[in-house]
Amino acid sequence: IAALRIISSLVSLYIYRTNDTIQQESFICETIVPLGSQVQVYLPDSSIVQLNSGSVLRYNSAYNKSNRDIYLNGEGYFTVKKGQQIPFLVKAGDLNVKVLGTIFNVKAYEEDNKIEVGLIEGRVNVYTKNEYADNRILAPNQHLTYDKLTQQMHTTSIDATSIYQWTKGILYFNKSSLIDIC
């Protein structure tokens, strides 16, 4: 796991540095996490993403220059660098999560019927198509669930420490059905 983290970080850094010498050429940086593993990715703006098993993270070479857009399929625990002028945007299926500096978790596996966003610190704006009309602003200790089938968002209060226990190798279940656990 440590080797995967180092390799992922070095590849991201190499791609970012190489981009400085390539004129106007655009490419996609991608991190794929094998099943049963976790990987920590250091982004060019010093933000950190810890990715869970089976996750895929993508961003283009314009990251931190004209945008800070991230594409996530899977689960990621984000520690976003504060004080940046360009908003940080996670695109996870039908949902977008926009922040300027905060700590949050997004669970958005393509095969799941729901997308989950849990906020630990700061504030995030979660929306589908329209950032201002179809959105929810989360405060710390709030959890948003988006149902892909009904396209409805539901917000609840939680203990935020429960949403990132996976980053420590802990499986945490609270009021979960046996089907959800399986």
Side-chain angles (χ1 to χ4, degrees):
I1 294 176
L4 281 173
R5 289 180 183 167
I6 293 170
I7 291 169
S8 175
S9 296
L10 290 174
V11 168
S12 294
L13 181 62
Y14 173 77
I15 290 171
Y16 178 70
R17 299 269 184 203
T18 304
N19 185 40
D20 290 341
T21 61
I22 299 172
Q23 298 296 322
Q24 308 293 10
E25 192 172 323
S26 180
F27 52 89
I28 301 296
C29 303
E30 182 177 77
T31 302
I32 301 171
V33 183
L35 293 175
S37 299
Q38 293 179 1
V39 173
Q40 196 164 32
V41 178
Y42 296 87
L43 298 171
D45 66 348
S46 298
S47 294
I48 301 170
V49 183
Q50 186 163 347
L51 296 171
N52 204 354
S53 174
S55 298
V56 178
L57 180 83
R58 292 182 185 92
Y59 59 94
N60 68 34
S61 58
Y63 182 89
N64 206 33
K65 294 176 184 162
S66 63
N67 70 62
R68 293 198 304 161
D69 295 356
I70 297 289
Y71 300 87
L72 175 69
N73 176 15
E75 185 169 13
Y77 176 75
F78 294 82
T79 305
V80 179
K81 178 74 174 179
K82 296 178 182 178
Q84 303 292 314
Q85 298 302 316
I86 303 168
F88 187 92
L89 182 64
V90 177
K91 296 181 178 188
D94 294 340
L95 280 188
N96 299 294
V97 182
K98 184 177 181 181
V99 300
L100 289 172
T102 192
I103 300 172
F104 62 101
N105 193 81
V106 176
K107 185 177 179 186
Y109 288 99
E110 190 174 330
E111 62 272 11
D112 288 349
N113 290 330
K114 60 185 176 181
I115 300 172
E116 300 177 53
V117 179
L119 185 61
I120 292 103
E121 182 181 298
R123 289 172 58 118
V124 295
N125 185 12
V126 182
Y127 60 97
T128 54
K129 295 177 178 87
N130 185 325
E131 179 179 357
Y132 304 104
D134 186 21
N135 71 335
R136 300 274 175 97
I137 296 177
L138 298 183
N141 293 314
Q142 285 191 315
H143 182 262
L144 179 136
T145 303
Y146 174 78
D147 187 312
K148 292 180 186 178
L149 302 174
T150 64
Q151 299 181 344
Q152 297 294 310
M153 288 188 251
H154 179 69
T155 306
T156 58
S157 294
I158 59 160
D159 173 13
T161 59
S162 66
I163 61 176
Y164 64 89
Q165 292 301 314
W166 66 268
T167 66
K168 300 175 183 177
I170 298 170
L171 297 175
Y172 181 87
F173 302 104
N174 186 23
K175 297 181 184 175
S176 298
S177 70
L178 185 57
I179 292 170
D180 287 341
I181 293 171
C182 290

